[in-house]
Amino acid sequence: MKSNIACLIAFVAFFAMFVHPVQVSAQQQDEGPDLFERAEMEADRLQRILDLEDWQVFYVDSTLKHDYPAMIAESEALRESKVANSSMYQAVADKWMEQIDATYRKIFTDEQWAAYLKSGAAKAQKARDKRKAKAQNK
């Protein structure tokens, strides 16, 4: 009888230690990466395509881990204020992406900056500038 109870306790302990965390991890993966994971993934991507030094990756990662949540918080404040104008949300995103690009310019070498722009950032900057000019003309 005692050996059956000991086996049951061992099974429950095994389940609690190994199976439950796997289920929680799987549920979190279904939700997708959080902001910090996305920041790390973007820093890793930029390291690969721009051949960044370790210190540059650190600054990119730190910048994104600060600016992404700040952008989300500002957007949430608009949502809580019941702002329905989508251009207001776009302006918030553009403001923070401009801030990120300005920080990147300080971190990257001239060659890395040129490669970053060629990787699609120049197109995004032009689109932001176009939206900004359109908003100023209204």
Side-chain angles (χ1 to χ4, degrees):
M1 182 74 165
K2 287 185 180 182
S3 66
N4 289 342
I5 292 173
C7 286
L8 180 62
I9 291 172
F11 175 76
V12 170
F14 174 80
F15 179 81
M17 287 180 10
F18 295 105
V19 176
H20 181 67
V22 169
Q23 289 176 339
V24 170
S25 176
Q27 288 173 349
Q28 288 174 345
Q29 287 176 354
D30 290 343
E31 296 171 3
D34 67 6
L35 285 177
F36 289 118
E37 289 171 330
R38 283 191 270 173
E40 290 170 1
M41 289 173 12
E42 178 64 7
D44 291 342
R45 183 186 77 82
L46 290 173
Q47 181 181 28
R48 281 191 312 276
I49 67 171
L50 303 177
D51 194 29
L52 299 178
E53 299 288 331
D54 289 341
W55 68 269
Q56 291 173 305
V57 176
F58 171 78
Y59 281 115
V60 167
D61 184 65
S62 297
T63 297
L64 295 176
K65 285 182 177 177
H66 171 268
D67 290 358
Y68 280 174
M71 179 174 58
I72 296 297
E74 196 169 331
S75 295
E76 284 295 314
L78 288 176
R79 188 184 62 76
E80 289 172 4
S81 298
K82 309 267 190 243
V83 173
N85 186 346
S86 63
S87 64
M88 296 284 291
Y89 293 93
Q90 187 65 57
V92 167
D94 286 350
K95 176 185 99 172
W96 284 101
M97 293 311 296
E98 284 177 13
Q99 176 65 36
I100 290 169
D101 279 352
T103 303
Y104 283 175
R105 184 64 192 113
K106 295 175 186 174
I107 297 169
F108 298 162
T109 64
D110 291 340
E111 295 80 20
Q112 290 167 332
W113 180 250
Y116 173 69
L117 292 175
K118 286 180 184 176
S119 74
K123 188 175 181 180
Q125 286 178 349
K126 285 181 183 179
R128 284 196 307 266
D129 290 343
K130 191 174 179 180
R131 285 190 296 269
K132 191 175 190 178
K134 185 178 177 184
Q136 287 176 348
N137 288 337
K138 285 188 175 181

